Amino acid sequence: MSPEDGPPWYATHPDTGRIDILGIPEQLKSHPEILRRGLVLFEPAKPGVVFTTTQAKKPCHVIKVLKPDSEERSIYEYLLQHDLASPNHTIPCELSMLGHPLLFMPFISDLAVLYPGTKPGWTSYEILGFFLQLTEGIEFLHQHHIAHMDYCYSNTLVAHRQDLANDNRLVEGKLYIIDFDWSKRLKYGPGVQRAITLTPTQIEPPNGLKHFDPYSWDVYCLGHICRDIIRHNSGKEYTYRIAQWYARWLMGNERGCTGVCRCRPTAHHARRVLGLLRPFAYVLDLCWHWTLPVRWVLGHIGGACSR
């Protein structure tokens, strides 16, 4: 099977022969594994690559057409050999054994379902809990010498209560890492592996760099995801200070290391620091809650004196 076999796979309009990016390609509809499972594909989630069945009928499936020249299939095969409980944040899925390689996953939500729609937003303890899941997921990959290489906000999903009917292995509130298109299994682990050429990424490398320690690159991207999550939170000022410090620390001060990168912590170190921060954050949350009546009274006294 050669890279020319795709993806992307596109449907074509029956009359004009033009590409129909919103259609289901015939080669996928007639794929032996799709026929064997009796799945009816509904729409593309990522045209040419990722397709879904209808969400109106449970379970809702997501089907990804894998690249023949990518390590994605072998990485999923390896990760699925391990217990899917945390710290493994691999989505429960199955790989096709017939025809062109396909990945079958349950539909789960993007991170937007986490965000509180009204104030007061997350507590500092809660937001650091999300960061802990993200960090331990990357640490697990790095422990097994796997660098994601394209870790970003859109490659992180969360199992919402409504998603649980799509697969009984899903855990409500758990974050899952997806899309290993550009991922690599490396000979050396963190602290030993030297810089390599970056693959295509959704996050812009700092200072226009083309080479990066792959594990350090994942941590840099983790900092970006944490920063994106913070931007959606409407929490209190101290919540932002704690979370923003952690995101900045992960992103580090890039110096363009060509060997092992020392510009930011390893995922292991970052996860251990979070373990120390969260109890402190919990105490801050309690203090904030306990002092609410006092701050309310002082606010009203100050308002009255200013009249």
Side-chain angles (χ1 to χ4, degrees):
M1 192 172 294
S2 67
E4 288 73 24
D5 294 325
W9 288 359
Y10 294 116
T12 55
H13 195 280
D15 296 327
T16 64
R18 293 181 178 179
I19 290 177
D20 177 10
I21 63 171
L22 298 180
I24 306 298
E26 189 60 39
Q27 64 202 110
L28 184 58
K29 288 192 287 187
S30 61
H31 189 283
E33 188 67 22
I34 296 292
L35 296 176
R36 188 184 73 83
R37 294 171 181 250
L39 297 180
V40 178
L41 302 176
F42 180 65
E43 63 183 356
K46 181 179 179 181
V49 181
V50 182
F51 303 84
T52 71
T53 60
T54 178
Q55 296 186 45
K57 182 180 179 181
K58 301 293 184 179
C60 178
H61 300 275
V62 177
I63 298 91
K64 181 176 184 180
V65 183
L66 301 181
K67 298 177 182 177
D69 57 344
S70 167
E71 293 186 52
E72 185 164 24
R73 178 173 179 171
S74 63
I75 287 174
Y76 270 114
E77 287 175 336
Y78 177 79
L79 292 173
L80 292 173
Q81 293 174 15
H82 296 78
D83 189 343
L84 290 178
S86 296
N88 187 353
H89 285 260
T90 307
I91 188 170
C93 58
E94 298 173 3
L95 291 153
S96 68
M97 305 304 292
L98 298 172
H100 187 98
L102 301 178
L103 181 68
F104 293 83
M105 302 171 282
F107 177 89
I108 58 177
S109 304
D110 61 33
L111 292 180
V113 301
L114 288 175
Y115 303 133
T118 58
K119 293 183 178 181
W122 293 322
T123 64
S124 56
Y125 185 80
E126 288 171 332
I127 197 170
L128 292 182
F130 298 137
F131 291 179
L132 179 60
Q133 288 201 58
L134 295 169
T135 305
E136 72 175 6
I138 285 297
E139 181 189 12
F140 179 82
L141 294 178
H142 291 182
Q143 286 174 338
H144 294 276
H145 294 192
I146 296 172
H148 190 283
M149 302 302 295
D150 193 25
Y151 196 34
C152 62
Y153 184 87
S154 61
N155 285 341
T156 310
L157 304 176
V158 60
H160 192 263
R161 184 181 298 108
Q162 66 191 17
D163 302 325
L164 302 185
N166 295 325
D167 193 306
N168 59 16
R169 295 171 294 178
L170 292 173
V171 178
E172 183 179 354
K174 182 172 179 177
L175 305 184
Y176 292 94
I177 300 171
I178 61 169
D179 284 358
F180 293 88
D181 302 66
W182 299 105
S183 302
K184 295 182 179 296
R185 288 192 67 187
L186 301 160
K187 180 178 180 180
Y188 302 110
V192 181
Q193 174 66 47
R194 298 176 64 84
I196 64 173
T197 302
L198 284 178
T199 55
T201 62
Q202 297 184 59
I203 291 176
E204 190 72 23
N207 307 325
L209 292 174
K210 304 296 184 183
H211 295 80
F212 233 100
D213 173 335
Y215 300 114
S216 185
W217 171 245
D218 279 355
V219 174
Y220 177 83
C221 295
L222 172 62
H224 262 270
I225 299 171
C226 291
R227 190 179 66 178
D228 288 342
I229 290 176
I230 294 167
R231 287 173 176 170
H232 289 86
N233 183 34
S234 57
K236 299 296 186 292
E237 185 180 354
Y238 74 82
T239 305
Y240 282 99
R241 286 203 294 265
I242 295 172
Q244 286 176 341
W245 173 86
Y246 185 74
R248 288 195 301 268
W249 181 58
L250 293 179
M251 295 175 70
N253 182 22
E254 183 55 46
R255 298 185 293 272
C257 305
T258 57
V260 176
C261 186
R262 308 293 184 188
C263 301
R264 59 194 52 84
T266 63
H268 175 71
H269 186 195
R271 194 260 307 159
R272 293 187 66 183
V273 168
L274 264 183
L276 297 174
L277 278 179
R278 290 192 77 210
F280 173 69
Y282 182 74
V283 173
L284 280 181
D285 291 336
L286 290 178
C287 291
W288 181 272
H289 179 73
W290 288 338
T291 57
L292 273 175
V294 176
R295 286 185 281 110
W296 183 87
V297 170
L298 291 177
H300 279 69
I301 292 175
C305 293
S306 63
R307 293 193 184 100

